[in-house]
Amino acid sequence: MSKKILEKIKIDFENSLQTVGTDLGKLEVLRVKFLSRKSELNKILKGIKNLSPEEKKEIGPLANQTRKNIESRLTDLIEEIQQKKDLDKDWIDVTAPGKKERIGHLNLLSKTQREIEKIFTSMSFEIADGPEIENEWYNFDALNIPKNHPARDLWDTFWMKNKNQKGEKLLLRTHTSNSQIHYMENNKPPFQVVVPGRAYRYEATDANHEHSFCQFEALVVGDDVSVANFKSIAQEFFSAFFQDEIKIRLRPSYFPFTEPSFEFDISCKVCRGKGCSTCSNTGWLEMGGCGMVNQRVFESAGYEKDKYQGFAWGFGIERLAMMKYQVNDIRHFRSGDLRFVQQF
Ligand code: DAH
């Protein structure tokens, strides 16, 4: 009787094994079914002691053999499946396309600044630097903007709490024009220099105004530098920057550090002067301020009065980048928003 049952268990086991495939969970179910304490096989093993000596002799080894057999079949299969899984894990598809590494790149502002520097370098300009933390002298007085003069109101200033070692008040420079004085203190004309850098204003921000922004100051000084020189250099620069023929226009204006002073416009690069929404139908875009260096500024820098002539300008780098790359809000530049950064 038991012999038949053992036969059936064997066949049952083999049949079940065919259905589990590589599913380790199903194998565990088989193990419980065929080897657990409640399994049919275990019942037979437990009943051996009650058999007659002859039956014991026959059934005993057969039942044990069946158990061992099932055990080793299961163990082998589990090992085989496990090995195959490990192999799958290490398998590399050498034909699969590689993962692209994302490489960082220059921010649009740095890129624009470098474009500007490259053009001026090609025109034999020097690129110089100036301090962002400044005293009142360099940012205001030396530029002919004395204390209590209403012109100071043109520049809303971030004042620092700490004074410098000489007890002077400190501020974040409101424009790159401070660099004019530093440069002239250390250099004698003739020279032509551009100073790009950050400037700060204590003012509310909107799509066209930021409290921190970049300018590039140009200063050209010599014995007989004129407005005509200025116009041709500016025209050359803007045409190279926008890679288009750009017209320029000067309008009378006022800055304490220039005399005469101008507001500087370029022909609208979107409509080429015909009039469109970008230029409010005027055909012109405002770039910034410029003018012939006021002799008082030369004096502040230690030059002899009326010995030299020069022109200067201070233009916004963001504004140029906005025009060239069609950015509609200056606040994007420092937002840190990757959706913006990655476009350029
Ligand atoms: N410093 C001025 C500003 O930020 C811009 C400026 C105007 C700079 C005229 C100049 C200049 O060098 O000549 O508002």
Side-chain angles (χ1 to χ4, degrees):
M1 179 63 185
S2 297
K3 201 174 160 190
K4 266 198 179 156
I5 298 176
L6 283 173
E7 260 324 297
K8 192 177 167 287
I9 292 174
K10 253 167 119 180
I11 293 171
D12 244 15
F13 176 71
E14 288 301 329
N15 285 343
S16 311
L17 218 49
Q18 305 299 321
T19 65
V20 295
T22 58
D23 188 331
L24 288 172
K26 283 187 185 163
L27 273 176
E28 176 59 17
V29 174
L30 278 197
R31 201 187 58 75
V32 171
K33 181 174 172 196
F34 289 94
L35 297 177
S36 71
R37 272 198 293 145
K38 286 184 182 162
S39 67
E40 235 175 323
L41 181 57
N42 206 41
K43 271 184 213 156
I44 292 173
L45 283 164
K46 261 166 76 190
I48 289 176
K49 60 179 189 295
N50 303 324
L51 298 176
S52 68
E54 293 83 46
E55 279 177 318
K56 264 188 199 165
K57 241 185 180 176
E58 193 190 5
I59 301 299
L62 203 62
N64 275 320
Q65 189 54 44
T66 307
R67 179 182 175 86
K68 264 193 198 154
N69 204 21
I70 293 178
E71 259 175 3
S72 68
R73 289 290 305 248
L74 283 176
T75 319
D76 288 354
L77 200 59
I78 289 172
E79 204 169 296
E80 197 181 303
I81 293 170
Q82 200 57 54
Q83 264 179 11
K84 195 163 175 296
K85 275 202 168 156
D86 290 347
L87 270 181
D88 281 351
K89 231 195 292 165
D90 293 340
W91 188 76
I92 295 169
D93 179 1
V94 291
T95 64
K99 259 196 214 153
K100 254 201 181 161
E101 287 297 328
R102 192 181 277 168
I103 300 172
H105 61 82
L106 286 180
N107 181 280
L108 181 58
L109 257 185
S110 313
K111 190 175 141 163
T112 308
Q113 181 172 327
R114 289 185 191 197
E115 286 172 22
I116 294 169
E117 289 174 7
K118 202 169 159 204
I119 297 170
F120 279 108
T121 312
S122 79
M123 295 198 284
S124 305
F125 273 69
E126 185 188 338
I127 309 296
D129 206 4
E132 289 175 32
I133 295 178
E134 194 54 287
N135 65 18
E136 286 184 88
W137 167 255
Y138 286 102
N139 195 80
F140 290 127
D141 301 68
L143 293 164
N144 194 30
I145 318 167
K147 283 182 195 57
N148 306 322
H149 191 284
R152 279 211 185 182
D153 297 344
L154 294 173
W155 294 274
D156 296 308
T157 309
F158 279 113
W159 294 95
M160 314 272 296
K161 276 193 188 139
N162 300 342
K163 296 186 172 171
N164 67 8
Q165 283 167 339
K166 291 182 200 157
E168 294 165 336
K169 274 165 87 176
L170 292 173
L171 51 85
L172 293 180
R173 69 173 172 195
T174 58
H175 47 189
T176 45
S177 302
N178 67 330
S179 322
Q180 292 190 19
I181 310 296
H182 288 288
Y183 187 86
M184 288 195 284
E185 280 177 348
N186 296 304
N187 294 278
K188 284 268 157 288
F191 60 75
Q192 37 196 11
V193 64
V194 162
V195 186
R198 258 179 289 213
Y200 305 86
R201 300 243 176 112
Y202 181 58
E203 59 184 18
T205 60
D206 62 27
N208 288 309
H209 297 90
E210 255 288 25
H211 46 68
S212 317
F213 55 98
C214 294
Q215 289 187 324
F216 63 108
E217 193 84 7
L219 183 63
V220 176
V221 180
D223 290 333
D224 53 3
V225 175
S226 68
V227 176
N229 297 136
F230 162 68
K231 280 188 86 171
S232 76
I233 287 173
Q235 181 128 18
E236 188 80 23
F237 165 72
F238 282 101
S239 300
F241 182 77
F242 288 113
Q243 286 168 358
D244 200 354
E245 215 165 286
I246 299 287
K247 285 202 203 84
I248 62 168
R249 176 175 87 168
L250 301 181
R251 285 178 289 120
S253 183
Y254 169 74
F255 296 101
F257 30 90
T258 41
E259 180 59 39
S261 305
F262 308 102
E263 225 31 86
F264 182 91
D265 301 335
I266 63 171
S267 54
C268 177
K269 62 176 274 297
V270 177
C271 62
R272 298 191 155 184
K274 287 192 193 79
C276 68
S277 60
T278 305
C279 58
S280 312
N281 283 318
T282 60
W284 296 95
L285 296 168
E286 255 179 56
M287 272 325 304
C290 57
M292 297 304 289
V293 180
N294 192 314
Q295 289 298 325
R296 288 199 171 176
V297 173
F298 286 144
E299 281 184 283
S300 301
Y303 290 179
E304 203 180 302
K305 193 168 180 242
D306 294 328
K307 185 162 182 203
Y308 301 112
Q309 288 184 338
F311 67 77
W313 81 58
F315 296 156
I317 299 184
E318 283 87 349
R319 192 156 167 73
L320 277 183
M322 286 168 83
M323 285 178 191
K324 181 161 176 177
Y325 298 101
Q326 265 124 49
V327 177
N328 60 8
D329 193 320
I330 193 172
R331 292 168 293 193
H332 286 319
F333 289 104
R334 286 174 184 75
S335 65
D337 189 336
L338 291 179
R339 289 170 305 178
F340 173 76
V341 173
Q342 283 165 358
Q343 284 180 52
F344 305 100

